[in-house]
Amino acid sequence: MNGLRVIPTWQAGRERFFVRDPDGRNLAWYDREAARVNLLRQDRQEDVLQALAPYLTGSVSVGPPPVPTPAELARLSLHPDDDLAPNRPGEALLIALDRDPGPARLLRPDPRRRALTAEQTVGEALDRMDGAGWRALHSVPLPGGDRIHHLLIGPGGLYAVHSHYAHKQRVTVTGTHVTLGRRRPEPLLRLVRACADRACHALTAEVRPVLVLTGASRVDVAATPREVRVLTDADVPALARQGGVLKPADVEALYAMARDRNTWTRV
């Protein structure tokens, strides 16, 4: 074995497989749709093709990559540990559940699994917006243990999206509080707004807060929440229809900045 790792990713709706050496440096990537292996190190061609052999389909061309855009250069310069783009929806919860699955049988479902379902539902809907020029990052870590569930960047601007499980629940929104069924009100909108404010500071751009209630049977907004947009998971695709704020080059530049873990270390 040559010690190379193959990392499958989805970027702009296209499946790509990055080949990295043991130090985490990119040596090549395979674009399945273009049927091309783009080599960054010509002297490692044989090793790269050996590592990619299980993933190659049909005939492929092999050669140096096309002239990269500034955003692609920024991506290639990131160490894998600093690149947030491969994060799956609910990445932090998936890791936590893998480390500590909890008891096999509980009288009540593990709340982490419900939260994961919400993040996966919303994250998958956001990822489907790639074709409309939007970019989504998931489980963006913030200092202090907080995180932004989803950061959406596209023609309509930037959104910090928070997913909340509300399956078959009647939800009431009043001021900064959200009430599910007969439970006690939670100051959820305050948290959503705070995460968006921290994203504004990190990216030096306006980031609008969005709360998505997944599976809610009914949502009553008793008092219009200040600045926070409240949606159900069925409403998420409507975000793709927003436009007129960012040009494609601005979207890519902000996405390249946001995917770098170091961007979020001082907010």
Side-chain angles (χ1 to χ4, degrees):
M1 299 296 290
N2 53 36
L4 303 187
R5 292 187 303 152
V6 178
I7 312 296
T9 65
W10 280 89
Q11 296 181 350
R14 302 178 70 161
E15 188 176 22
R16 293 179 177 177
F17 299 82
F18 285 87
V19 182
R20 293 168 177 164
D21 67 15
D23 293 330
R25 299 181 185 278
N26 287 299
L27 299 180
W29 74 89
Y30 167 45
D31 187 329
R32 178 169 282 174
E33 183 176 328
R36 180 176 177 82
V37 177
N38 298 281
L39 288 170
L40 298 172
R41 288 277 303 274
Q42 299 292 330
D43 60 320
R44 301 295 302 275
Q45 177 173 334
E46 184 176 343
D47 291 338
V48 166
L49 292 179
Q50 180 183 348
L52 283 172
Y55 305 92
L56 299 177
T57 55
S59 60
V60 298
S61 59
V62 181
V67 177
T69 65
E72 288 172 328
L73 284 173
R75 170 180 52 76
L76 291 172
S77 67
L78 280 179
H79 188 279
D81 291 342
D82 293 329
D83 190 357
L84 300 177
N87 280 8
R88 299 159 292 178
E91 183 77 23
L93 290 170
L94 286 165
I95 293 173
L97 287 166
D98 183 60
R99 291 175 178 171
D100 178 19
R105 294 183 178 181
L106 291 173
L107 293 177
R108 294 183 179 181
D110 189 331
R112 296 177 300 171
R113 296 193 181 278
R114 291 185 170 185
L116 176 60
T117 297
E119 290 190 44
Q120 290 177 329
T121 298
V122 176
E124 290 167 5
L126 296 176
D127 285 340
R128 287 194 291 269
M129 294 165 60
D130 267 350
W134 292 81
R135 302 285 180 265
L137 291 170
H138 308 289
S139 249
V140 177
L142 300 173
D146 293 330
R147 62 191 174 88
I148 298 172
H149 289 181
H150 319 277
L151 182 70
L152 183 66
I153 306 171
L158 293 86
Y159 297 91
V161 182
H162 188 93
S163 309
H164 195 69
Y165 186 87
H167 184 62
K168 295 184 178 179
Q169 295 286 318
R170 177 176 177 176
V171 183
T172 303
V173 181
T174 306
T176 61
H177 286 71
V178 175
T179 305
L180 271 65
R182 298 181 179 180
R183 300 180 192 175
R184 296 181 61 182
E186 299 179 63
L188 193 55
L189 299 190
R190 190 178 303 160
L191 170 64
V192 178
R193 191 181 300 126
C195 286
D197 288 343
R198 295 173 77 176
C200 288
H201 179 74
L203 302 173
T204 62
E206 181 184 8
V207 180
R208 285 172 279 186
V210 177
L211 171 64
V212 180
L213 301 162
T214 64
S217 61
R218 177 175 173 179
V219 178
D220 295 323
V221 181
T224 304
R226 184 173 63 88
E227 300 173 358
V228 181
R229 188 169 179 178
V230 179
L231 306 174
T232 66
D233 50 301
D235 300 324
V236 169
L239 291 173
R241 294 194 287 271
Q242 306 296 314
V245 177
L246 295 176
K247 298 178 181 179
D250 297 327
V251 171
E252 294 302 326
L254 284 165
Y255 178 67
M257 182 179 181
R259 68 187 296 178
D260 185 351
R261 186 182 300 272
N262 297 300
T263 298
W264 305 96
T265 57
R266 296 182 180 179
V267 296

